[in-house]
Amino acid sequence: VDEEQASRANLMIKNGCFGARYKSVCDTDSSLYANLALKTMQSSMDSVFYLKQNYDPANPLHNAILYIVTGDQAYSKELANRQRNDGSWNTNVYQTAFSVLALKSTEFTQNIENAKKYFENKQLADGSLGNVQDTALTLYAAYSENSNLPECFSGDVALFSKQTGACQGSYETCSNNIESVTAFYRFI
């Protein structure tokens, strides 16, 4: 701190947090997701101080989001070390997908491959991972750069928006019907 003489001073302390709803009390999960969004938007505002004070090293989402937001390798190492033998984090598809998202640009490539095997084992007969949220996050986190997706889902997002059902075949049907989109994911 520079020493200056003044009658006023502006002091900014980054200790904000976010609640689950407007004007509600601080909530760690809400603060995690809000901080991730702020980081994505390249905002100077954050809630890292609050998140570090409420950090649970056993929670994969805490490690994943704090690593994405801060780049502190201690979080990615903790995350990698907590992967289960089945390739998951807490036998939870959503937490595993978020963990993969965080580890994508790290040296933990084997952890990502193990998670992909977990996803393959959890995949249902309709191709989904149980619900749209888990399936979408998994595709984004683990397979967004993968050529094993059906041809009509690969490449630019604009390609998918232009599809009108032209891509046909077993588990390669593109449709404007959202229910059929989730039914046709195959990544093995």
Side-chain angles (χ1 to χ4, degrees), residues 22-86:
Y22 180 67
K23 292 190 178 183
S24 63
V25 298
C26 292
D27 176 71
T28 304
D29 287 347
S30 298
S31 295
L32 279 166
Y33 290 113
N35 208 63
L36 180 61
L38 291 168
K39 173 73 173 179
T40 301
M41 295 178 354
Q42 300 177 343
S43 173
S44 61
M45 188 168 63
D46 67 45
S47 59
V48 173
F49 181 81
Y50 171 80
L51 293 173
K52 286 181 177 182
Q53 297 301 313
N54 293 282
Y55 170 63
D56 176 4
N59 187 324
L61 291 175
H62 286 211
N63 287 304
I65 294 176
L66 280 168
Y67 175 69
I68 292 169
V69 168
T70 67
D72 185 342
Q73 292 182 358
Y75 298 116
S76 64
K77 288 177 185 174
E78 185 68 31
L79 187 61
N81 289 335
R82 290 191 176 268
Q83 187 176 30
R84 294 176 182 247
N85 290 336
D86 68 356

Side-chain angles (χ1 to χ4, degrees), residues 152 159-168 173-176:
C152 56
L159 176 66
F160 175 72
S161 66
K162 291 179 185 175
Q163 292 293 332
T164 58
C167 180
Q168 298 292 325
T173 301
C174 290
S175 173
N176 291 332

Side-chain angles (χ1 to χ4, degrees):
V1 175
D2 293 335
E3 189 176 322
E4 290 187 29
Q5 289 187 346
S7 60
R8 293 179 127 186
N10 285 333
L11 181 63
M12 183 160 72
I13 301 173
K14 291 186 169 190
N15 68 343
C17 62
F18 297 88
R21 289 173 300 288
Y22 180 67
K23 292 190 178 183
S24 63
V25 298
C26 292
D27 176 71
T28 304
D29 287 347
S30 298
S31 295
L32 279 166
Y33 290 113
N35 208 63
L36 180 61
L38 291 168
K39 173 73 173 179
T40 301
M41 295 178 354
Q42 300 177 343
S43 173
S44 61
M45 188 168 63
D46 67 45
S47 59
V48 173
F49 181 81
Y50 171 80
L51 293 173
K52 286 181 177 182
Q53 297 301 313
N54 293 282
Y55 170 63
D56 176 4
N59 187 324
L61 291 175
H62 286 211
N63 287 304
I65 294 176
L66 280 168
Y67 175 69
I68 292 169
V69 168
T70 67
D72 185 342
Q73 292 182 358
Y75 298 116
S76 64
K77 288 177 185 174
E78 185 68 31
L79 187 61
N81 289 335
R82 290 191 176 268
Q83 187 176 30
R84 294 176 182 247
N85 290 336
D86 68 356
S88 76
W89 278 267
N90 290 344
T91 60
N92 181 293
V93 171
Y94 183 81
Q95 290 181 8
T96 302
F98 234 109
S99 298
V100 168
L101 183 63
L103 295 177
K104 278 177 88 166
S105 61
T106 69
E107 71 271 17
F108 300 108
T109 55
Q110 188 58 52
N111 293 76
I112 294 170
E113 292 306 312
N114 294 342
K116 286 181 178 181
K117 289 177 183 148
Y118 169 76
F119 295 139
E120 291 166 7
N121 290 330
K122 295 301 284 184
Q123 191 174 23
L124 302 177
D126 68 358
S128 76
L129 290 165
N131 62 55
V132 173
Q133 177 181 332
D134 289 352
T135 304
L137 182 59
T138 299
L139 287 170
Y140 176 72
Y143 300 95
S144 61
E145 298 167 6
N146 192 334
S147 62
N148 289 335
L149 287 174
E151 184 179 305
C152 56
F153 289 108
S154 63
D156 196 323
V157 174
L159 176 66
F160 175 72
S161 66
K162 291 179 185 175
Q163 292 293 332
T164 58
C167 180
Q168 298 292 325
S170 176
Y171 291 96
E172 289 192 353
T173 301
C174 290
S175 173
N176 291 332
N177 180 337
I178 194 69
E179 291 175 338
S180 66
V181 170
T182 59
F184 298 113
Y185 291 126
R186 276 285 180 228
F187 27 82
I188 48 178

